[in-house]
Amino acid sequence: MAERSFVEEVKKLRLAEGETFRGEGILAVTKALLESGVSYVAGYQGAPISHLMDVLADAQDILADHGIRFENSASEATAAATLAASVNYPLRGAVTFKATVGTNVASDALANLASGGVTGGALIIVGEDYGEGSSIMQERSHAFAMKSQMWMLDPRPNLPSIVQAVKTGFELSEASNTPVMLQLRIRACHVHGQFTASDNRRAAFTLKEALENPQRDVSRIVLPPASFLHEQEKIKERWPAAVRFIEERGLNEFFAEGADDIGIIVQGGCYNTQVRALERLGLADVYGRSRVPLYVMNVAYPVIDSEVRRFCEGKRAVLVVEEGQPNFVEQNIATILRQAGSSTALHGKDLLPVAGEYTAQAVMAGTRAFCERYGRLAPKAAPAAEVPARPRKIIPLISEAQLMPLERSVHARPPGFCTGCPERPIFSAMKLVQRELGQHHVSADIGCHLFSILPPFNIGNTTMGYGLGAAGSAALNTQADKRAIAVMGDGGFWHNGLTSGIANAVFNQSDNLTVVVDNNYTSATGGQDILSSKAVNATRSTGHEIEQAVRGVGVKWVRTLRRTYDVAGMRDTLKEALTTKDKGPKVIIAQSECMLNRQRREKPLLRKAIADGKRMVREKFGVDPDTCTGDHSCIRLSGCPSLSIKPNPDPLRQEPVAAVMDSCVGCGVCGEVSHAAVLCPSFYKAQVVSNPTGWDRLRERVRGAVIGWMQRRDAERRARLAF
């Protein structure tokens, strides 16, 4: 077993007309794709859209029944280029990836696609990884939609709205011959709910028909003079067609439109948060019925001028709730109102945070400030001369204690390696080498190994993108007493690193070192198989060695370590690579299976065997408190979550001793680190036996008796010497 199984989720994809689908938002998207008559789906896994890829990977029989081609793409650029199938044929296609990094990788293909336009519906599902739960730089996909003039949907975060957005996204794409982006924030992907399912649809025009009846339209190819006409076509034909479709289908929503002379314009993805803030302020009920007019932009781009003017007409002021920066929507609305000669006051980033995720607290504070200014809430200290134009019922303020920031009461928990992670000993060995050879410049990469930049390792100077670890050290290829070290994972290696990193180093005669962490899967994205995975995969080709690929592009100095937990071996190999007289790029491939995937596979089997009464042995490590000196170098060089401290049992010593908790998985790296660093012999390996046999019990009694006798004899000897 390699990838996670989603057998239960796959069953939901078979639901028929009228049945109720219950589950997560991203799973609802998967079902909506099948109901939309999609012909092909491609993508690259990553938070928060990984489940879409994982479920489809387990649904090959359903996809085959409907003639759907599914592909795990090598990168986001590969996925985006797949949409070329919709350029000349009435084929509905969808691709998905994590934004904004995925959008950046896919930008070349997406720009070409948007320029030439499409015939079939083309949907780009981007997991908007923005805000406090993000693992990437804080940017928005909105800018890319504007740049290439692709329409962007931002539906309200409930399952019926999300499912409808998928279906109307294809229709909008076909109506305007333009690819459409569907933006789903982390919370939208993981929101739970239900919707009424429809039957899955088979595409009216199939991939087989496209292959057997090839079509060619030179005007869709991005070459002069056609490329000059594409820009004009976007403005004169595609944009008006999109606006007509959005208006006629009512994709944007109006709530409580004439209830007041102030209003709030909110992105669809922020709707739940906005309504919750209004409810907390007493301006909406628990069912979301607002007393303040709302214009919900389920289409974030383009902004529909006529709807903005309609909503703002007769209002004294409007608040724009737009998450992130720059404030694209607010600027657009300001231009619309200015050109219309509107007197409506416009507020946005002046009352709300300029940047950062719009949490309930942030939105509530901004909404309160807006409503206070226009007399809908009692201000904290209103000037005596200030008289609201239209008095309303005064709502008591929520106390500041209720809004206490989380950071005052919750300690920060920086990310770190899992218990037993095979990447931890790599950086322990690197610290040992640097203790001997001095600090080196380390070019980091995207993936689990990026946790090495944090304590206790503090290794890593820069990171430039997925698979770009070696490329990030390219400028430091010069004559010096030290070599730069680059690190990349096996996922990053196949995604981008082989060409932009390793082959580039060969071509430019780099003398630096690249460490490829090969743990069998794209571990950071959920454990999906890749080319070098050891697992047998029925639908994909695996087992392709990284070493062969590296040698294939011209690297001569290559070392493969089959067990990263051998800290001493890893230390010696790193030292050799950094000190050898051989010139040219050097590559170390450090192999060990991702412990999280291994435990995910083995723990259920272990539990079942124990429940069946079978004798099972589990190894774990421990620390002899009598031997431990309390130096804690094992913790500083390892950082394993299973390593802790406890009071020293020796009354004459105050330093707490190291201790191993029950979460230990027996990887042995703590003991390996201790011995490689010549620290102490306090670690021991123990066996935990479940369902022991009679022989096990007898052996344990004999061992206990012998050890007890020896301990008593030693205690008596020390007592005699004391006198």
Side-chain angles (χ1 to χ4, degrees), residues 127 129 166 185 238 330 352 421 528 561 651 699 706:
D129 193 2
V166 172
R185 293 169 177 78
R238 298 190 214 165
E330 185 180 343
L352 288 156
C421 176
Q528 293 83 7
L561 283 80
R699 185 170 54 182
V706 173

Side-chain angles (χ1 to χ4, degrees), residues 1-6 54 57-58 519-523 525-540 542-543 593-602:
M1 171 187 171
E3 300 170 307
R4 294 180 62 184
S5 174
F6 288 85
D54 296 334
D58 281 347
N519 45 26
N520 288 14
Y521 321 99
T522 54
S523 301
T525 63
Q528 293 83 7
D529 277 335
I530 50 178
L531 278 164
S532 53
S533 294
K534 301 297 187 296
V536 176
N537 192 310
T539 61
R540 273 158 266 171
T542 55
E593 183 182 7
C594 168
M595 184 58 72
L596 188 62
N597 274 282
R598 180 178 172 182
Q599 293 298 317
R600 186 179 287 144
R601 179 181 68 248
E602 293 183 352

